[in-house]
Amino acid sequence: MNDVARTAGVSLKTVSRVVNGETTVDPTLVARVRAAVAALNYRRHLGASMLRRRDRRTGTIGLLIEDVGNPFSAALLRAVEDAARARGVHVLTGSLDEDPERERDLVRAFARRHADGLILAPAGPDQGYLATELPPDTPVVFVERAATGFAGDSVLARDAAGAMRAVRHLIAYGHRRIAFLGDLPQIQTTRERRQGYLSALGTLGLRPFMIDGLRSSQAAEAATRSLLGRTRPPTALFTGRNLITIGAVRALRGLGRHRDAALVGFDDFPLADLLEPAVTVIAQDPTAMGHAAARALFERIDGDTEEPREISIATTLIPRGSGELRPRVRARGS
Amino acid sequence: MNDVARTAGVSLKTVSRVVNGETTVDPTLVARVRAAVAALNYRRHLGASMLRRRDRRTGTIGLLIEDVGNPFSAALLRAVEDAARARGVHVLTGSLDEDPERERDLVRAFARRHADGLILAPAGPDQGYLATELPPDTPVVFVERAATGFAGDSVLARDAAGAMRAVRHLIAYGHRRIAFLGDLPQIQTTRERRQGYLSALGTLGLRPFMIDGLRSSQAAEAATRSLLGRTRPPTALFTGRNLITIGAVRALRGLGRHRDAALVGFDDFPLADLLEPAVTVIAQDPTAMGHAAARALFERIDGDTEEPREISIATTLIPRGSGELRPRVRARGS
DNA sequence: GTGAAAGCGCTAACAG
DNA sequence: CTGTTAGCGCTTTCAC
């Protein structure tokens, strides 16, 4: 910057003004400075400028989600990235893999990098640590799951309502023996969805079949096989997550029962419509969730200090075939 | 930091030494400083420390790929993230969407943020701009596609070889009328794969059927429909990319010809094995590519100045059914 | 409108 | 082993 000032024959401060696009500079000087900048291939050092600046923005936000490799998370990331780009902001990403320690570590790391704000899908049971770990006035927006112990906006799907919808759909098609296959119960969305499932069964006094703690599609496949191997197996499955749904599809295929047992899955997934039968799902809208989270975060960064908001994103039932299979006569009669 | 020094009753420099884990400090003082750090909830300002430090590392790398929402890119990102985590490095991500201008913008932005290095899947036809846009000594590793106009390591799949393998496979199953459906021809991988296709056909003097410029699964679906609507249609399809393969599957399904026309796709994709018939693919290994790219980048960051290397990652043919369909008698006789 | 001086939070160099 | 001084590249404050 010194070199630029010397080359252009102006003071340091003038260069600073030009680089920052301040309007109170003589056009002649602006031109001279720009020429010098181009000639010397000068680029201002963001770190140094942030040091003295009043508004210490880095133009970076952090996004901490379960796994960037999962299609749901990836779509969310993409939506956040698009919203950030529109604002000239960049995104630091991290996958948490349901590990509370990783959540803390990454929060700390992004805080140190002076992210202007964070979007977090909590993995741990408590976010109280944010109060001390984060510099004051760093806004956090929670997505997918609500936080405990820290106030912030949250963008949530209506999980319980979606689950109820799924189960009622199966009931409407004649099913009375409906199983729920879920992920770890410490995950909030698992509990919400299970709750919706139980509520729907409860109104008719139906008996629940539940298996949870399913962390992979392989685990879900094994669980489905054992469930259907029982003497009086369920006639329909409600799966609590995309990976679990896929595991269940594999099991049904393997057993040759894919045209026999009904299936509704939470989360849409690519190619669900091309399977045989196509898979009925409760679709979340990760793109809408990402956009909403980014919008909320930017409002906070811009100084909004209203009470924390809770933004609810609706789910949609997409009937494709697997959820509209009726129970077989054998099951009905037994 | 001043406060910490005062509270601990030591000099600024001593605090600096403790915070940086230097060993040449009296344990008594270390303890006092740590206590003060904890009491004041002090965290050192990374930007400021980078300013004066000799080795100006930010502990951040940039990853620029086509689209974080695509399963291939997402798996690559995940692999890079894992490798970076093992080193305490964080990842800035950006999606390029085949837009050369976005490529330049993001490179510039990440350079300004002083990324220690970049992993780039080039979107534009020329990367000469890197020489001026990037601070000197910022290593760049290219992934998926080689760069033009700038020297750097590259991690590439053996695209042409994989494509030849696919087409020979179809030939071995009796096909003589084999079509290629590809993405934009300005994309290097499209050209490589097309080249492999043409070579394989060439050895037998077979006639090519080519359609390219297919940017979406919808476009691929339409192209497949028109191709199969011809009077003497191809009996087999080789699709150049995951999205195109999916479009082709949709078209074959829609026409009821999924058990009739053979299909081999480049890129594996989730659920390919659950479709009816399951889809034969040439699988790339995005995880291996991400790991290799990260490893190469970190070696460069650590000072390796050898000649640029080209790392080649093999592809694998996974026969699942769709690629093993034989041409119908009608086609054979015609 | 423009410039000189001070200082953001930290570390390098050197002295003790 | 510890402290002092200077200065990284930039923006602020406040005179001109």
Side-chain angles (χ1 to χ4, degrees):
Chain A
M1 184 149 155
N2 262 312
D3 299 343
V4 174
R6 208 174 316 115
T7 312
V10 297
S11 80
L12 259 178
K13 177 61 209 174
T14 303
V15 177
S16 171
R17 282 199 255 261
V18 171
V19 169
N20 287 298
E22 291 179 33
T23 49
T24 61
V25 187
D26 183 1
T28 324
L29 295 188
V30 174
R32 284 222 310 265
V33 171
R34 287 206 196 292
V37 164
L40 297 166
N41 189 29
Y42 163 81
R43 264 178 304 274
R44 118 178 138 190
H45 186 121
L46 265 166
S49 76
M50 256 68 236
L51 203 52
R52 194 71 172 83
R53 216 177 245 293
R54 175 65 66 195
D55 119 7
R56 291 188 159 194
R57 294 288 163 68
T58 56
T60 308
I61 60 172
L63 174 65
L64 295 87
I65 46 186
E66 197 198 325
D67 172 13
V68 294
N70 181 294
F72 179 87
S73 299
L76 195 82
L77 161 56
R78 185 58 211 256
V80 170
E81 192 195 313
D82 288 345
R85 171 173 29 180
R87 224 183 181 253
V89 164
H90 296 99
V91 183
L92 277 162
T93 38
S95 300
L96 302 182
D97 292 333
E98 299 301 344
D99 179 351
E101 207 168 315
R102 261 180 83 43
E103 178 187 334
R104 273 187 86 133
D105 285 352
L106 278 173
V107 162
R108 193 185 340 237
F110 289 179
R112 268 218 257 281
R113 279 182 174 52
H114 294 96
D116 297 338
L118 256 41
I119 297 177
L120 171 61
D126 187 279
Q127 281 64 49
Y129 69 89
L130 286 169
T132 56
E133 212 71 89
L134 235 46
D137 302 325
T138 303
V140 183
V141 171
F142 301 97
V143 67
E144 258 193 278
R145 309 169 187 174
T148 307
F150 187 87
D153 295 335
S154 50
V155 176
L156 307 173
R158 289 200 255 274
D159 288 292
M164 264 171 75
R165 182 85 194 279
V167 177
R168 286 192 180 145
H169 185 74
L170 290 167
I171 290 173
Y173 275 88
H175 295 276
R176 296 297 176 266
R177 306 173 59 78
I178 303 170
F180 173 70
L181 297 168
D183 201 331
L184 297 175
Q186 57 264 40
I187 301 174
Q188 214 178 98
T189 50
T190 305
R191 291 199 304 271
E192 294 279 336
R193 293 168 198 176
R194 186 176 56 189
Q195 196 47 56
Y197 161 79
L198 289 172
S199 304
L201 291 191
T203 54
L204 289 187
L206 300 178
R207 166 179 157 211
F209 296 71
M210 296 197 289
I211 302 184
D212 53 23
L214 304 172
R215 287 264 59 211
S216 68
S217 125
Q218 287 77 19
E221 182 175 350
T224 304
R225 281 176 177 273
S226 86
L227 204 53
L228 293 180
R230 297 191 186 179
T231 44
R232 292 192 67 215
T235 62
L237 306 176
F238 170 51
T239 48
R241 223 194 134 186
N242 53 12
L243 289 179
I244 298 177
T245 309
I246 291 166
V249 169
R250 283 221 160 79
L252 293 173
R253 272 303 174 77
L255 297 168
R257 302 202 40 196
H258 49 291
R259 293 224 138 270
D260 165 20
L263 172 66
V264 177
F266 209 105
D267 285 343
D268 199 4
F269 55 94
L271 305 189
D273 58 320
L274 285 180
L275 297 179
E276 203 49 66
V279 180
T280 297
V281 298
I282 303 293
Q284 298 195 67
D285 190 343
T287 303
M289 292 176 78
H291 277 132
R295 180 144 30 111
L297 184 64
F298 289 136
E299 279 171 14
R300 296 300 181 175
I301 288 174
D302 289 339
D304 179 354
T305 56
E306 299 292 304
E307 283 293 290
R309 280 181 287 272
E310 190 180 310
I311 300 162
S312 221
I313 307 281
T315 58
T316 320
L317 173 73
I318 307 182
R320 291 199 178 110
S322 74
E324 293 72 42
L325 298 173
R326 295 189 170 271
R328 311 189 86 189
V329 178
R330 163 176 75 91
R332 203 181 269 155
S334 67
Chain B
M1 184 147 157
N2 263 310
D3 299 342
V4 173
R6 208 173 316 114
T7 312
V10 296
S11 80
L12 258 178
K13 179 63 207 176
T14 303
V15 177
S16 170
R17 281 198 256 261
V18 172
V19 169
N20 287 296
E22 291 179 33
T23 50
T24 61
V25 187
D26 183 10
T28 323
L29 295 186
V30 173
R32 286 221 312 263
V33 171
R34 286 207 198 293
V37 164
L40 297 165
N41 190 26
Y42 163 81
R43 263 179 303 274
R44 125 184 118 156
H45 187 121
L46 266 164
S49 77
M50 256 69 233
L51 201 53
R52 194 65 171 88
R53 220 176 242 291
R54 175 65 65 195
D55 116 7
R56 293 192 158 191
R57 296 288 163 65
T58 56
T60 309
I61 60 172
L63 174 64
L64 296 89
I65 46 187
E66 197 198 324
D67 172 15
V68 293
N70 182 294
F72 180 87
S73 300
L76 195 82
L77 161 55
R78 185 59 212 254
V80 170
E81 192 195 315
D82 288 345
R85 170 172 28 174
R87 224 182 180 253
V89 164
H90 296 100
V91 184
L92 278 163
T93 38
S95 300
L96 302 181
D97 292 333
E98 299 301 343
D99 179 351
E101 208 169 313
R102 264 181 76 46
E103 179 187 333
R104 274 188 86 135
D105 285 352
L106 277 173
V107 162
R108 193 184 342 235
F110 289 179
R112 267 219 257 281
R113 278 181 173 53
H114 295 95
D116 297 336
L118 256 41
I119 297 177
L120 170 61
D126 187 279
Q127 281 63 50
Y129 69 91
L130 285 169
T132 56
E133 212 71 89
L134 235 46
D137 302 325
T138 302
V140 183
V141 171
F142 301 97
V143 67
E144 255 193 281
R145 308 169 187 174
T148 307
F150 187 87
D153 295 335
S154 50
V155 176
L156 307 172
R158 290 200 254 276
D159 288 291
M164 264 171 74
R165 182 85 193 282
V167 177
R168 285 190 180 145
H169 186 74
L170 290 167
I171 291 173
Y173 276 86
H175 295 276
R176 296 296 176 267
R177 306 172 61 77
I178 304 170
F180 172 70
L181 297 168
D183 200 331
L184 297 175
Q186 57 264 39
I187 301 175
Q188 215 178 99
T189 50
T190 305
R191 292 200 303 271
E192 293 280 337
R193 294 168 196 177
R194 186 174 58 189
Q195 196 46 54
Y197 161 81
L198 290 172
S199 304
L201 291 190
T203 55
L204 289 186
L206 300 178
R207 168 179 154 210
F209 295 73
M210 295 198 289
I211 302 186
D212 51 23
L214 304 173
R215 286 266 58 212
S216 67
S217 126
Q218 287 75 18
E221 184 176 348
T224 304
R225 281 177 177 274
S226 87
L227 204 53
L228 293 180
R230 298 190 184 178
T231 44
R232 292 191 68 215
T235 63
L237 307 176
F238 169 51
T239 48
R241 223 194 135 185
N242 53 12
L243 288 180
I244 298 176
T245 308
I246 291 167
V249 169
R250 284 223 158 78
L252 292 173
R253 273 299 175 80
L255 297 168
R257 301 200 43 192
H258 48 291
R259 296 222 137 271
D260 164 20
L263 172 66
V264 176
F266 208 106
D267 284 343
D268 199 4
F269 55 94
L271 304 190
D273 59 320
L274 285 180
L275 297 178
E276 205 48 63
V279 180
T280 297
V281 298
I282 302 294
Q284 298 195 68
D285 190 342
T287 303
M289 292 175 79
H291 277 132
R295 178 145 31 111
L297 183 62
F298 290 134
E299 279 171 15
R300 296 300 181 177
I301 288 174
D302 290 339
D304 179 354
T305 56
E306 298 294 303
E307 283 293 289
R309 281 182 288 272
E310 191 179 310
I311 300 162
S312 221
I313 307 282
T315 58
T316 320
L317 173 73
I318 306 182
R320 292 200 179 107
S322 75
E324 293 71 42
L325 297 172
R326 294 187 172 273
R328 311 190 87 189
V329 178
R330 163 178 76 91
R332 201 182 268 152
S334 69

